[in-house]
Amino acid sequence: MLNLTEELKALSQKAFKALFEQDLDEQHIQIQPTRKEFEGSHTLVCFPLGRFSKLNPEQTAKAIGEYMQENSELVNRFNVVKGFLNIVFADKVWLQLASDIMKTPDFGFKAETGREVMVEYSSPNTNKPLHLGHLRNNFLGYSVAQILKANGNKVHKVQIINDRGIHICKSMVAWQKFGEGETPESAKMKGDKLVGKYYVIFDQKYKAQIAELMEAGKTKEEAEKEAPLLKEAQEMLLKWEQKDPETYALWEKMNGWVYKGFENTYKTMGVDFDKLYYESQTFSLGKDEVLRAVKEGLAYKKEDGSVWIDLTEEGLDEKLLLRKDGTSVYMTQDIGTAILRYRDFPKIEQQIYTVGNEQEYHFKVLFIILDKLGYEWAKSCYHLSYGMVDLPTGKMKSREGTVVDADDLMEDMFATAKSRTDELGKIDGFNEEEAQELYRQLGLGALKYYLLKVDPVKRMMFNPEESIDFQGNTGPFIQYVHARICAILRKAEQICIQPKVSEKLNSLEPTEGNVLQLIVDFPAKVDEAAREYAPSIIANYVYEVAKAYNKFYSEVSIFNESDQEALAFRIGFSRIVAETIEKSMNLLGAEVPTKM
């Protein structure tokens, strides 16, 4: 397929040789996309070329542009803005590229390279259901996995389930003391929500005990440490680590409830995993590594028995690796998990951790510790950090039960999709099953698109109402454009129009050319999104494609075209736009309806 950047580089060298009798090294040729306010698709930056041409950048650009226009069939015209040469390629070029894309089913995607990577996402605690923050995490991790796969990588999607520790012990103690044998069946609740309910109850009762102790003369700090409920949770954690049968049985039962709930939520989200890791299975390996670090002088034991590592030489501080009672902390478990994954998948070249930006310090420390322990692959580990999600109503807190539940939010999105769609009459002729499927696709598409269109590093505000609008930079707008194109393709099939690019065609409507410029850019966008670990690049790209096609559709009447060759092209052109929209949305983990 014609590569316009490479063609322009070769043409620039040819022009320079002819005009200035000099061989121009490729390193001096800078080509970038033309800025939106100027005509053209590719821009040659001429500022660095003046020292070779002995002309100012503007004169250099004008001379090269004139040469290209006179000597190449590819270049239709050009314009010069200061030292920037903006190239307008001939319509024939775009028609040829459209023809090539029509014959390339995997356009935009690379063949397998043999490189293997691992992407971790979700990684919940088993003391509460998944919430809005987990939605951004899951959608981001899953989308990055899709994008890396599209770039030829073999991707292993995993999560680490934080199924042990003081948090789950708090839910267990509260259920034991106040639950009266309640089960998900008897409570008619999802298991993860039931366990989350007892986490909130623990916090309420714990706060009441703190208040009582403070009334009795204790300081706040003393009261927090001495509250009987917290002591019970700490004792339970010790019993669990000692494999006390009764404690272990309760832990397995309550975690079993949670896993069933998580499974349903993931299914609704449309995300999956290739392998699950559990903290309960990885923390002991982490403990062994920590004790090895003590033996080798990489870590040290304090008088109280706790184990620490000193990272002050790395510009960090001292980090706790084992508590004084010998129980593990998150860092211990993460050390064990990382090592176990490389043992399970020895060919992976990188581990990518999708975790919120409040854990940036944690991962900096983890990678340094793994490196100190002698694991060379630690240098290639990457923390895919992302900002928190806020709602117009304010910040979420799990302990206080003010979390926006993921299941509830998705159900609300489906209900909003239903009311908006019914209101606009977009389900005329649908049976009940088709209508429900459309509400699901629109609701989930709106949610995924809205959470992914923002650069991952940015904290964001999620506005449910805004996300499901059929106008503007939203998932439903893009889905609607796709459905509209599918209707055009169905009509073309009914009247037997075969999509094709005729050699007799010489010109394009300006709006067609604008869309094709964007379509040709698809492989570069997929590549850039993989390099930056940023689905937002794909999201904003597919919006531009849908918006540009919508403009074409409003200005050009497809089926009123009398020239049969132009009509056949427009059907083919529409098909590759629909395919690009579908591929792009699939990279975001979103589906596109074929009718609305």
Side-chain angles (χ1 to χ4, degrees):
M1 189 180 295
L2 200 63
N3 183 321
L4 293 182
T5 301
E6 292 306 314
E7 291 286 340
L8 196 53
K9 278 181 185 175
L11 199 48
S12 302
Q13 286 173 314
K14 190 178 171 186
F16 219 80
K17 178 79 172 171
L19 292 166
F20 308 113
E21 296 180 347
Q22 288 194 56
D23 292 315
L24 197 60
D25 284 346
E26 202 171 298
Q27 68 191 52
H28 295 120
I29 303 172
Q30 293 176 36
I31 291 168
Q32 59 190 36
T34 304
R35 284 171 56 175
K36 283 181 184 176
E37 61 265 38
F38 303 117
E39 190 188 23
S41 61
H42 292 66
T43 295
L44 175 66
V45 182
C46 294
F47 292 98
L49 307 181
R51 62 192 175 107
F52 304 111
S53 66
K54 307 301 181 200
L55 299 173
N56 69 36
E58 203 162 338
Q59 290 168 329
T60 305
K62 189 170 183 292
I64 294 172
E66 286 171 352
Y67 178 88
M68 287 180 174
Q69 191 174 11
E70 287 166 21
N71 293 279
S72 172
E73 289 181 359
L74 299 180
V75 177
N76 180 278
R77 56 191 181 278
F78 69 93
N79 61 85
V80 174
V81 181
K82 295 180 180 173
F84 297 100
L85 171 61
N86 303 321
I87 300 295
V88 180
F89 285 108
D91 284 354
K92 266 284 189 191
V93 171
W94 300 109
L95 286 160
Q96 181 56 54
L97 283 164
S99 177
D100 293 344
I101 293 166
M102 281 183 208
K103 296 167 192 164
T104 313
D106 290 331
F107 176 71
F109 294 173
K110 289 180 185 165
E112 286 185 18
T113 60
R115 183 175 183 264
E116 288 188 34
V117 293
M118 182 173 281
V119 181
E120 174 198 290
Y121 52 94
S122 197
S123 305
N125 293 331
T126 55
N127 63 317
K128 56 194 173 190
L130 303 172
H131 55 65
L132 173 58
H134 286 113
L135 288 175
R136 189 177 196 191
N137 180 303
N138 275 272
F139 297 157
L140 179 58
Y142 182 84
S143 178
V144 165
Q146 292 286 89
I147 290 164
L148 290 170
K149 192 177 168 188
N151 266 275
N153 297 281
K154 182 175 183 179
V155 182
H156 305 283
K157 296 174 287 187
V158 300
Q159 64 168 323
I160 174 75
I161 298 172
N162 299 301
D163 63 340
R164 60 163 290 284
I166 196 71
H167 56 274
I168 183 64
C169 290
K170 287 177 180 178
S171 292
M172 287 159 66
V173 164
W175 184 84
Q176 227 174 21
K177 292 178 81 73
F178 315 112
E180 298 176 353
E182 189 175 36
T183 66
E185 290 73 29
S186 69
K188 293 185 169 55
M189 278 177 92
K190 274 177 85 228
D192 50 336
K193 294 189 182 182
L194 183 68
V195 173
K197 171 183 148 181
Y198 285 97
Y199 185 62
V200 173
I201 289 170
F202 179 95
D203 190 60
Q204 291 164 349
K205 303 283 186 185
Y206 174 51
K207 280 178 178 166
Q209 287 184 353
I210 290 168
E212 280 174 30
L213 288 167
M214 285 171 73
E215 271 180 39
K218 298 278 184 188
T219 66
K220 188 169 189 280
E221 201 176 328
E222 286 169 340
E224 284 171 351
K225 282 180 183 172
E226 292 172 28
L229 211 53
L230 180 66
K231 286 189 169 179
E232 282 184 62
Q234 289 167 337
E235 283 162 23
M236 187 174 270
L237 180 59
L238 271 172
K239 279 183 179 178
W240 182 88
E241 291 214 359
Q242 289 155 6
K243 291 270 173 57
D244 170 65
E246 196 181 322
T247 306
Y248 219 76
L250 176 61
W251 171 78
E252 283 185 320
K253 176 165 75 174
M254 291 182 74
N255 272 349
W257 294 344
V258 173
Y259 298 147
K260 215 172 248 184
F262 283 172
E263 267 176 45
N264 289 336
T265 306
Y266 290 137
K267 194 175 176 185
T268 308
M269 277 187 202
V271 303
D272 59 3
F273 303 91
D274 301 312
K275 189 171 174 67
L276 307 183
Y277 287 88
Y278 298 87
E279 188 182 352
S280 57
Q281 295 166 1
T282 66
F283 83 102
S284 56
L285 173 56
K287 271 176 97 166
D288 292 344
E289 288 289 314
V290 168
L291 295 173
R292 172 170 78 85
V294 174
K295 265 187 196 172
E296 294 175 8
L298 298 168
Y300 65 96
K301 198 175 270 196
K302 284 191 177 178
E303 283 178 18
D304 64 1
S306 59
V307 175
W308 296 73
I309 189 164
D310 185 354
L311 301 176
T312 48
E313 278 187 21
E314 281 78 13
L316 306 174
D317 57 8
E318 296 187 345
K319 184 71 188 173
L320 176 69
L321 299 180
L322 284 176
R323 295 189 190 94
K324 61 184 178 183
D325 60 6
T327 55
S328 304
V329 291
Y330 273 126
M331 189 61 71
T332 328
Q333 162 244 293
D334 278 347
I335 291 166
T337 307
I339 294 164
L340 187 60
R341 285 174 179 167
Y342 269 90
R343 287 180 186 172
D344 289 346
F345 299 93
K347 290 183 181 175
I348 57 172
E349 293 181 29
Q350 189 181 36
Q351 279 199 67
I352 297 159
Y353 294 82
T354 312
V355 183
N357 58 12
E358 76 282 6
Q359 294 294 330
E360 276 175 9
Y361 183 79
H362 173 88
F363 283 99
K364 200 178 276 185
V365 171
L366 172 65
F367 302 156
I368 289 171
I369 291 172
L370 287 166
D371 191 29
K372 280 181 174 289
L373 287 166
Y375 295 104
E376 189 57 35
W377 44 257
K379 291 180 176 68
S380 66
C381 288
Y382 181 77
H383 174 206
L384 174 51
S385 173
Y386 63 91
M388 294 294 98
V389 185
D390 297 316
L391 279 162
T393 49
K395 206 174 175 183
M396 305 185 294
K397 291 178 184 169
S398 308
R399 283 189 299 275
E400 293 169 18
T402 59
V403 166
V404 179
D405 182 88
D407 294 312
D408 294 347
L409 182 57
M410 287 190 285
E411 284 304 320
D412 286 350
M413 292 300 289
F414 302 153
T416 309
K418 180 184 188 316
S419 64
R420 289 284 178 91
T421 312
D422 294 0
E423 196 181 293
L424 295 167
K426 293 190 186 295
I427 56 155
D428 297 345
F430 279 56
N431 62 36
E432 182 58 26
E433 195 181 325
E434 288 171 335
Q436 291 302 327
E437 177 59 12
L438 181 65
Y439 306 146
R440 186 193 67 78
Q441 287 183 350
L442 290 173
L444 213 46
L447 186 55
K448 289 183 178 185
Y449 185 82
Y450 202 94
L451 291 176
L452 291 174
K453 73 176 180 178
V454 178
D455 187 323
V457 299
K458 290 180 181 170
R459 188 171 189 135
M460 68 172 294
M461 176 78 74
F462 174 65
N463 186 326
E465 285 295 312
E466 194 182 288
S467 75
I468 207 150
D469 202 331
F470 281 90
Q471 297 299 320
N473 190 0
T474 66
F477 167 71
I478 296 160
Q479 289 170 312
Y480 180 59
V481 171
H482 181 268
R484 171 179 272 169
I485 298 173
C486 289
I488 291 166
L489 299 178
R490 282 193 296 273
K491 184 175 176 181
E493 205 174 326
Q494 285 164 7
I495 56 176
C496 302
I497 298 167
Q498 292 298 316
K500 65 171 184 178
V501 181
S502 167
E503 287 181 11
K504 292 177 188 172
L505 274 180
N506 288 307
S507 63
L508 288 168
E509 292 289 335
T511 49
E512 285 173 323
N514 294 340
V515 179
L516 275 171
Q517 282 181 32
L518 287 165
I519 297 296
V520 168
D521 212 20
F522 182 51
K525 291 295 177 186
V526 176
D527 187 62
E528 186 189 352
R531 280 197 321 275
E532 301 292 327
Y533 308 98
S536 54
I537 290 166
I538 298 295
N540 290 293
Y541 164 76
V542 71
Y543 169 61
E544 290 299 326
V545 171
K547 189 171 67 168
Y549 184 87
N550 213 39
K551 190 171 191 300
F552 154 76
Y553 180 83
S554 66
E555 291 182 13
V556 178
S557 179
I558 294 175
F559 290 104
N560 284 339
E561 177 58 66
S562 55
D563 181 335
Q564 289 304 298
E565 264 131 12
L567 177 58
F569 166 72
R570 281 184 192 142
I571 299 307
F573 157 74
S574 297
R575 192 182 76 191
I576 60 176
V577 173
E579 285 168 356
T580 306
I581 290 174
E582 183 176 18
K583 284 176 188 171
S584 299
M585 291 296 271
N586 288 170
L587 290 177
L588 303 178
E591 297 167 71
V592 280
T594 56
K595 63 175 187 171
M596 269 164 88

